Amino acid sequence: MPINYDTLSKTIASLTEGETDSVALMATVTCEVHHADERFDWTGFYRVVAPELLKIGPYQGGHGCLVIPFSRGVCGAAARTGEVQLVPDVDAFPGHIACASSTRSELVLPVWNGAGDLLGVFDIDSDQPDAFTQEDADQMTAILANAFKNAA
């Protein structure tokens, strides 16, 4: 069944209303998104913890990489460029980091708070090739912007 972004957006907005703690927001968003669509095999956040460095945050699915520099992989590219990474085939992405051998495609979105600070990236992996669309990217960007607008 295709994801119902209207319902997902309203659910996340209701659950996160007034919350400012970024880790609490990440945990809630991860849970709701992970269970919203069967394409989503691994769903989670990598937090900015130092200049040019991401560290794993709340996630659902198998284990993830613990640390990712901005210079490596799809998550690093999203953090480094501030642009959504929509990757239909991870094996064709230069420098892809295989945190899980089952990952075939990936959608990674930079996450900003209302002040414009990069908090991290939101990584959605699928064990299906070419699993994500531009609509997924656009809808998730809007959901994240709303959920993290008041984050510290």
Side-chain angles (χ1 to χ4, degrees), residues 5-99:
Y5 278 111
D6 187 50
T7 299
L8 181 63
S9 178
K10 288 176 180 171
T11 300
I12 290 173
S14 172
L15 291 169
T16 61
E17 185 178 352
E19 182 56 63
T20 60
D21 182 87
S22 61
V23 174
L25 291 165
M26 289 175 183
T28 302
V29 169
T30 296
C31 179
E32 291 303 315
V33 171
H34 186 73
H35 295 287
D37 195 305
E38 63 188 21
R39 296 174 295 163
F40 303 166
D41 188 51
W42 191 95
T43 310
F45 286 87
Y46 285 94
R47 301 169 297 118
V48 175
V49 295
E52 307 287 309
L53 190 65
L54 299 167
K55 194 168 277 192
I56 199 162
Y59 69 92
Q60 303 235 342
H63 68 80
C65 295
L66 295 182
V67 178
I68 299 176
F70 281 25
S71 60
R72 296 201 49 222
V74 182
C75 290
R80 183 175 65 252
T81 65
E83 296 173 359
V84 172
Q85 302 294 307
L86 181 58
V87 182
D89 177 4
V90 295
D91 293 331
F93 189 92
H96 173 255
I97 304 168
C99 296

Side-chain angles (χ1 to χ4, degrees), residues 111-119 145 148-152:
V111 180
W112 314 88
N113 65 14
D117 302 317
L118 180 66
L119 301 175
F148 288 88
K149 65 182 180 281
N150 297 317

